[in-house]
């Protein structure tokens, strides 16, 4: 089979001392592209800290599968 190079979008490099180096440099841009956030700008705080959240003020997702897929992908980041 040979040596492992990628797993779940994570690049794997074998070090000379026998260890492994995992790099997500490709995984994260692919995930942002999948979520249609590849053109989003970075911010120091992702949301307003004084905002009150409620389950009654939002609209349901049009495609829950896309949310579940993204949520599952975030666990590897």
């Amino acid at each position: 089979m040979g040596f492992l190079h990628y797993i779940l979008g994570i690049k794997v490099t074998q070090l000379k001392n026998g260890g492994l180096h995992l790099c997500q440099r490709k995984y994260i841009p692919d995930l942002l592209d999948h979520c249609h956030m590849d053109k989003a700008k970075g911010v120091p705080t992702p949301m307003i800290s004084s905002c009150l959240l409620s389950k009654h003020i939002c609209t349901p997702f049009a495609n829950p599968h896309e949310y579940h897929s993204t949520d599952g992908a975030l666990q590897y980041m």
Side-chain angles (χ1 to χ4, degrees), residues 6-54:
Y6 278 93
I7 183 166
L8 300 171
I10 299 170
K11 183 178 179 182
V12 179
T13 307
Q14 187 169 7
L15 303 176
K16 291 180 182 179
N17 66 3
L20 297 175
H21 179 262
L22 304 177
C23 179
Q24 294 180 314
R25 186 168 286 157
K26 180 176 176 353
Y27 183 76
I28 295 171
D30 288 348
L31 179 59
L32 289 172
D33 185 49
H34 172 75
C35 301
H36 313 291
M37 294 183 67
D38 51 325
K39 304 290 187 226
K41 295 180 182 177
V43 293
T45 304
M47 76 182 276
I48 301 168
S49 60
S50 61
C51 179
L52 298 175
L53 300 176
S54 170

